[in-house]
Every structure is written in structure tokens, then in C-alpha cells.
Amino acid sequence: MKKVVLITGISSGFGKQTARLLSQMGHSVYGTVRKSIQADPGVNVLIMDLTDHKSIREAVRTVVEKEGRIDVLINNAGMHTGGPVETLPSEFLRLQMETSFLGMVHVTREVLPVMRSNNGGRIINISSIGGLMGLPFQGFYSASKFAVEGFSEALRMETAGFNIRVVVINPGDFHTNNSLNRRSYLAPSGPEDPYAAQFKKSLAIIEHDEGKGWDPALLAKTLARIVECANPRQRYIVGSFDQKLAVLLKKVLPGRLFRMILAGHYGLRQKP
Ligand SMILES: NC(=O)c1ccc[n+]([C@@H]2O[C@H](COP(=O)([O-])OP(=O)(O)OC[C@H]3O[C@@H](n4cnc5c(N)ncnc54)[C@H](OP(=O)(O)O)[C@@H]3O)[C@@H](O)[C@H]2O)c1
């Protein structure tokens, strides 16, 4: 059955591939961008900045005026800051939370009454493996994704009675514009910076992992399956064997041991 899908952040990465695939499958797709783009045929483009509440309200209103309903919301748009918690500029903290967490909350709150009046819907929130474990020098990013996790768990219970399903996606490393965009949100680091050497080493590993990450079209296929299936799971972890293993190890290993393993991956020296 054709569904009305609203997806945030379709200028690149997961959003672009997912909007393309869903519209090719015959769904009525509305995708948001901050700056006007030439989207794929069949994809309706709306202007929305997650840090601008008015633009969120207007975008949701446009879909409702045209379609009368929203069946699926994919909260995808996000950004990624990088740097030490101590020295990453505070405005990056604000931007990280406003984009990856508060923006998602505002979009969801606008869409919920629409779904309730339509007797149901599906909300798919893009979290991260970094929403399941704090990642070094990605502290603000991880915090925003941990917030997405708590928000989604609570929302799922509140809305189940209205036939609204909440699904969380935890992608591992995918090759998108994520790394490129992060370059504008890195902590400034000079010779006096006590974290500089470790940050540099970790950043190289982060970018290496992302560089050899999977094609975002793969995640788009998973999202399309979730849009169409009758009974989606609550969570989908989509990543390499190592990334899935890390999620499992965090659950079963003593905290200190897990920290040593994770820090080792990022080349960080640790005192036990
Ligand atoms: N790639 C990965 O390895 C990975 C892993 C785990 C989770 N994720 C998550 O997946 C989601 C999509 O990321 P991606 O990898 O596809 O990265 P991407 O290619 O950089 O796409 C991010 C999208 O979000 C939009 N966006 C950024 N800030 C925004 C704002 N303030 N308001 C509205 N839209 C905004 C961007 O639009 P502009 O063109 O206007 O900037 C872009 O369309 C994010 O939530 C990210 O955290 C990615």
C-alpha cells in the first residue's frame, strides 16, 4: 500500500538514498533540506532547518495540506561534532543537541497529532552505534544519540496505544557526507592542547573507519523494508560484525574491560 513518508535531511547520505528508493517503490515521499536542491523525480522537497521551529511546523503543515496524513516519519537529519569534551566550543554542543536531538523531538511533536488523528503511524529514529556506547572525542555526538535512545523508548510506550510504532536504527560506519561535514565542527587544536595527540590519532581512526564504511544505499534498503513490513522490530543495528560484537560485549563484559577494548581501538592510552 502506498504510504505518505516524511524524511528529514535528503540532500545526501542515508536521506538521499532512502527518499530515492521509497519514491521508486511508489510511496509519496516528502524530504527536507536546508537549501533548495535538485531532488530525484518523484521526491517532494520541503525546506526545513531542525534548529528553526517555524520551518518544522511549516514543512509538516505542507504535507498535511497536500496528503491529509503522514504514515511514516523518518527522523534522519543530523550532524557530527568531533573533539575533546573539555575544549570543543560550546556552540558546537548547542548545535549538536539542537540538530540531532531537539530537532528530532520538535519534528516528532508536530507529526504525532497527525498520526493520532489518522489512527496510527510509524516513526523511525536514526540513532547510531554511538548511541549505545560513548565514543571518545565524539562525546557531544554520543550524548545526542543517547538522548535519542531514551526519548524513543519513552515515546514508544506512550504512543503504542495509538497504534504508533517507534523504531530505532543504530547504523555503524557508512560512507556518506558525514565525515566531510564534520570537518567544519572539529575542536580547534594547537600545540598547547593537552588532548591534541590523542584526538589526532582517534580522528584518523574514525575517518578511516568511515572511509571504508558501507554504501548508504544498503541502509536505505533496510529502511524501506521497515516502512513496508507489517510488524517491524523495535531496533535494527546495521553494521559490521565487529560493530555488532562491540554492542554485545558492552552488555556482557565488566565496564572497565570494555572501556580498555574500545579505547584500544581508538589508540588511546588508559590507566586501568
Ligand atoms: N554515516 C554514518 O556512518 C552514520 C552512522 C551512524 C549514524 N548516522 C546518522 O545518520 C543520519 C544521516 O547522516 P548521514 O551519514 O547520511 O550524513 P550526511 O550525508 O551528512 O547527511 C546529513 C543530512 O542531515 C542534514 N542536516 C544537517 N544539519 C541539519 C539541520 N540543522 N537541519 C536540517 N537538516 C540538517 C544535512 O543537510 P545539509 O546538506 O543542509 O547539511 C543532510 O541532508 C544522521 O542522523 C547521522 O548522525 C550516520
CSV table of all heavy atoms in Angstrom, one decimal, residues 226-255:
chain,number,residue,atom,x,y,z
A,226,ILE,N,11.5,-1.6,6.6
A,226,ILE,CA,10.8,-1.3,7.8
A,226,ILE,C,9.5,-0.5,7.5
A,226,ILE,O,8.5,-0.6,8.1
A,226,ILE,CB,11.7,-0.5,8.7
A,226,ILE,CG1,12.9,-1.3,9.1
A,226,ILE,CG2,10.9,0.0,9.9
A,226,ILE,CD1,14.0,-0.5,9.8
A,227,VAL,N,9.6,0.4,6.4
A,227,VAL,CA,8.4,1.1,6.0
A,227,VAL,C,7.3,0.2,5.6
A,227,VAL,O,6.1,0.4,5.9
A,227,VAL,CB,8.7,2.1,4.9
A,227,VAL,CG1,7.5,2.7,4.2
A,227,VAL,CG2,9.6,3.2,5.4
A,228,GLU,N,7.7,-0.9,4.9
A,228,GLU,CA,6.6,-1.7,4.3
A,228,GLU,C,6.2,-2.9,5.1
A,228,GLU,O,5.1,-3.4,4.9
A,228,GLU,CB,7.2,-2.3,2.9
A,228,GLU,CG,7.4,-1.1,1.9
A,228,GLU,CD,7.2,-1.6,0.5
A,228,GLU,OE1,7.6,-2.7,0.2
A,228,GLU,OE2,6.7,-0.8,-0.3
A,229,CYS,N,7.0,-3.4,6.1
A,229,CYS,CA,6.7,-4.6,6.7
A,229,CYS,C,5.6,-4.4,7.8
A,229,CYS,O,5.4,-3.3,8.3
A,229,CYS,CB,7.9,-5.3,7.4
A,229,CYS,SG,8.4,-4.5,8.9
A,230,ALA,N,4.8,-5.4,8.1
A,230,ALA,CA,3.6,-5.3,8.9
A,230,ALA,C,4.1,-5.1,10.4
A,230,ALA,O,3.4,-4.4,11.2
A,230,ALA,CB,2.8,-6.5,8.8
A,231,ASN,N,5.2,-5.8,10.8
A,231,ASN,CA,5.5,-5.8,12.2
A,231,ASN,C,7.0,-5.6,12.4
A,231,ASN,O,7.7,-6.5,12.6
A,231,ASN,CB,5.1,-7.2,12.7
A,231,ASN,CG,4.9,-7.3,14.2
A,231,ASN,OD1,4.9,-6.2,14.8
A,231,ASN,ND2,4.9,-8.5,14.7
A,232,PRO,N,7.4,-4.3,12.4
A,232,PRO,CA,8.9,-4.1,12.5
A,232,PRO,C,9.4,-4.3,13.9
A,232,PRO,O,8.6,-4.3,14.9
A,232,PRO,CB,9.0,-2.6,12.2
A,232,PRO,CG,7.7,-2.0,12.5
A,232,PRO,CD,6.7,-3.1,12.3
A,233,ARG,N,10.7,-4.6,14.0
A,233,ARG,CA,11.3,-4.7,15.3
A,233,ARG,C,11.4,-3.4,15.9
A,233,ARG,O,11.3,-2.3,15.3
A,233,ARG,CB,12.7,-5.4,15.2
A,233,ARG,CG,12.7,-6.7,14.5
A,233,ARG,CD,14.0,-7.5,14.9
A,233,ARG,NE,15.2,-6.8,14.6
A,233,ARG,CZ,16.0,-7.0,13.6
A,233,ARG,NH1,15.7,-8.0,12.7
A,233,ARG,NH2,17.1,-6.4,13.5
A,234,GLN,N,11.8,-3.3,17.2
A,234,GLN,CA,12.0,-2.0,17.9
A,234,GLN,C,13.3,-1.4,17.5
A,234,GLN,O,13.4,-0.2,17.6
A,234,GLN,CB,12.0,-2.2,19.4
A,234,GLN,CG,10.6,-2.7,20.0
A,234,GLN,CD,10.6,-2.6,21.5
A,234,GLN,OE1,9.5,-2.5,22.0
A,234,GLN,NE2,11.7,-2.5,22.2
A,235,ARG,N,14.3,-2.3,17.2
A,235,ARG,CA,15.6,-1.8,17.0
A,235,ARG,C,16.3,-2.6,15.8
A,235,ARG,O,16.1,-3.8,15.8
A,235,ARG,CB,16.5,-1.9,18.2
A,235,ARG,CG,17.9,-1.5,18.1
A,235,ARG,CD,18.7,-1.8,19.4
A,235,ARG,NE,18.2,-1.2,20.5
A,235,ARG,CZ,18.2,0.1,20.8
A,235,ARG,NH1,18.8,0.9,19.9
A,235,ARG,NH2,17.7,0.6,21.9
A,236,TYR,N,17.1,-1.9,15.0
A,236,TYR,CA,17.9,-2.5,14.0
A,236,TYR,C,19.3,-2.0,14.1
A,236,TYR,O,19.5,-0.8,14.0
A,236,TYR,CB,17.3,-2.2,12.6
A,236,TYR,CG,16.0,-2.8,12.3
A,236,TYR,CD1,14.8,-2.2,12.8
A,236,TYR,CD2,15.8,-3.9,11.5
A,236,TYR,CE1,13.6,-2.7,12.6
A,236,TYR,CE2,14.6,-4.5,11.3
A,236,TYR,CZ,13.4,-3.9,11.8
A,236,TYR,OH,12.2,-4.4,11.6
A,237,ILE,N,20.2,-2.9,14.4
A,237,ILE,CA,21.6,-2.5,14.4
A,237,ILE,C,22.2,-2.9,13.1
A,237,ILE,O,22.2,-4.1,12.7
A,237,ILE,CB,22.4,-3.2,15.6
A,237,ILE,CG1,21.8,-2.8,16.9
A,237,ILE,CG2,23.9,-2.9,15.5
A,237,ILE,CD1,22.3,-3.5,18.1
A,238,VAL,N,22.6,-1.9,12.3
A,238,VAL,CA,23.1,-2.2,10.9
A,238,VAL,C,24.5,-1.8,10.8
A,238,VAL,O,24.9,-0.6,10.7
A,238,VAL,CB,22.3,-1.4,9.9
A,238,VAL,CG1,22.6,-1.9,8.5
A,238,VAL,CG2,20.8,-1.5,10.2
A,239,GLY,N,25.4,-2.8,11.0
A,239,GLY,CA,26.8,-2.5,10.9
A,239,GLY,C,27.6,-3.8,10.7
A,239,GLY,O,27.0,-4.9,10.5
A,240,SER,N,28.9,-3.7,10.8
A,240,SER,CA,29.8,-4.8,10.5
A,240,SER,C,29.7,-5.8,11.7
A,240,SER,O,29.2,-5.5,12.8
A,240,SER,CB,31.3,-4.3,10.4
A,240,SER,OG,31.7,-3.7,11.6
A,241,PHE,N,30.3,-6.9,11.5
A,241,PHE,CA,30.4,-7.9,12.6
A,241,PHE,C,31.0,-7.3,13.8
A,241,PHE,O,30.5,-7.5,14.9
A,241,PHE,CB,31.2,-9.2,12.1
A,241,PHE,CG,31.4,-10.2,13.2
A,241,PHE,CD1,30.4,-11.1,13.5
A,241,PHE,CD2,32.6,-10.3,13.8
A,241,PHE,CE1,30.6,-12.0,14.6
A,241,PHE,CE2,32.9,-11.2,14.8
A,241,PHE,CZ,31.8,-12.0,15.2
A,242,ASP,N,32.2,-6.6,13.7
A,242,ASP,CA,32.9,-6.0,14.8
A,242,ASP,C,32.0,-5.1,15.6
A,242,ASP,O,32.0,-5.0,16.8
A,242,ASP,CB,34.1,-5.3,14.3
A,242,ASP,CG,35.2,-6.2,13.8
A,242,ASP,OD1,34.9,-7.4,13.8
A,242,ASP,OD2,36.2,-5.7,13.4
A,243,GLN,N,31.2,-4.2,14.8
A,243,GLN,CA,30.4,-3.2,15.5
A,243,GLN,C,29.3,-3.9,16.3
A,243,GLN,O,29.0,-3.5,17.4
A,243,GLN,CB,29.8,-2.3,14.5
A,243,GLN,CG,30.9,-1.3,14.0
A,243,GLN,CD,30.6,-0.7,12.6
A,243,GLN,OE1,29.7,-1.1,11.9
A,243,GLN,NE2,31.5,0.3,12.3
A,244,LYS,N,28.7,-5.0,15.7
A,244,LYS,CA,27.6,-5.7,16.4
A,244,LYS,C,28.2,-6.4,17.6
A,244,LYS,O,27.6,-6.4,18.7
A,244,LYS,CB,27.0,-6.7,15.5
A,244,LYS,CG,26.1,-6.0,14.4
A,244,LYS,CD,25.3,-7.0,13.6
A,244,LYS,CE,24.4,-6.4,12.7
A,244,LYS,NZ,23.8,-7.3,11.7
A,245,LEU,N,29.4,-6.9,17.4
A,245,LEU,CA,30.1,-7.6,18.6
A,245,LEU,C,30.3,-6.6,19.7
A,245,LEU,O,30.1,-6.9,20.9
A,245,LEU,CB,31.4,-8.2,18.1
A,245,LEU,CG,32.2,-9.0,19.1
A,245,LEU,CD1,31.4,-10.2,19.6
A,245,LEU,CD2,33.6,-9.4,18.6
A,246,ALA,N,30.7,-5.4,19.3
A,246,ALA,CA,31.0,-4.4,20.4
A,246,ALA,C,29.8,-4.1,21.2
A,246,ALA,O,29.8,-4.0,22.4
A,246,ALA,CB,31.5,-3.1,19.7
A,247,VAL,N,28.6,-4.0,20.5
A,247,VAL,CA,27.3,-3.8,21.2
A,247,VAL,C,27.1,-4.9,22.2
A,247,VAL,O,26.7,-4.7,23.4
A,247,VAL,CB,26.2,-3.6,20.2
A,247,VAL,CG1,24.8,-3.5,21.0
A,247,VAL,CG2,26.4,-2.4,19.3
A,248,LEU,N,27.3,-6.1,21.8
A,248,LEU,CA,27.1,-7.3,22.6
A,248,LEU,C,28.1,-7.3,23.8
A,248,LEU,O,27.7,-7.5,24.9
A,248,LEU,CB,27.3,-8.6,21.8
A,248,LEU,CG,27.1,-9.9,22.5
A,248,LEU,CD1,25.7,-10.1,23.0
A,248,LEU,CD2,27.6,-11.1,21.7
A,249,LEU,N,29.4,-7.0,23.5
A,249,LEU,CA,30.4,-7.1,24.5
A,249,LEU,C,30.1,-6.0,25.6
A,249,LEU,O,30.3,-6.3,26.8
A,249,LEU,CB,31.8,-6.8,23.9
A,249,LEU,CG,32.4,-7.9,23.1
A,249,LEU,CD1,33.7,-7.6,22.6
A,249,LEU,CD2,32.4,-9.2,23.9
A,250,LYS,N,29.6,-4.9,25.2
A,250,LYS,CA,29.3,-3.8,26.2
A,250,LYS,C,28.2,-4.4,27.2
A,250,LYS,O,28.2,-4.0,28.4
A,250,LYS,CB,28.8,-2.6,25.5
A,250,LYS,CG,28.6,-1.5,26.6
A,250,LYS,CD,28.2,-0.1,26.1
A,250,LYS,CE,28.1,0.7,27.4
A,250,LYS,NZ,27.3,1.9,27.2
A,251,LYS,N,27.3,-5.2,26.7
A,251,LYS,CA,26.3,-5.8,27.6
A,251,LYS,C,26.8,-6.8,28.6
A,251,LYS,O,26.4,-6.9,29.7
A,251,LYS,CB,25.2,-6.4,26.7
A,251,LYS,CG,24.2,-5.4,26.1
A,251,LYS,CD,23.1,-6.2,25.4
A,251,LYS,CE,22.3,-5.2,24.6
A,251,LYS,NZ,21.6,-5.8,23.5
A,252,VAL,N,27.8,-7.6,28.1
A,252,VAL,CA,28.2,-8.7,28.9
A,252,VAL,C,29.5,-8.6,29.7
A,252,VAL,O,29.7,-9.2,30.7
A,252,VAL,CB,28.3,-10.0,28.1
A,252,VAL,CG1,26.9,-10.3,27.5
A,252,VAL,CG2,29.3,-9.9,26.9
A,253,LEU,N,30.4,-7.7,29.2
A,253,LEU,CA,31.7,-7.5,29.9
A,253,LEU,C,31.7,-6.6,31.0
A,253,LEU,O,30.9,-5.6,31.0
A,253,LEU,CB,32.8,-7.0,28.9
A,253,LEU,CG,33.2,-8.0,27.7
A,253,LEU,CD1,34.3,-7.3,26.9
A,253,LEU,CD2,33.8,-9.3,28.3
A,254,PRO,N,32.6,-6.7,32.0
A,254,PRO,CA,32.7,-5.7,33.0
A,254,PRO,C,33.0,-4.3,32.4
A,254,PRO,O,33.8,-4.3,31.4
A,254,PRO,CB,33.9,-6.2,33.9
A,254,PRO,CG,34.0,-7.6,33.6
A,254,PRO,CD,33.5,-7.8,32.2
A,255,GLY,N,32.5,-3.2,32.9
A,255,GLY,CA,32.7,-1.9,32.2
A,255,GLY,C,34.1,-1.6,32.0
A,255,GLY,O,34.4,-1.0,30.9
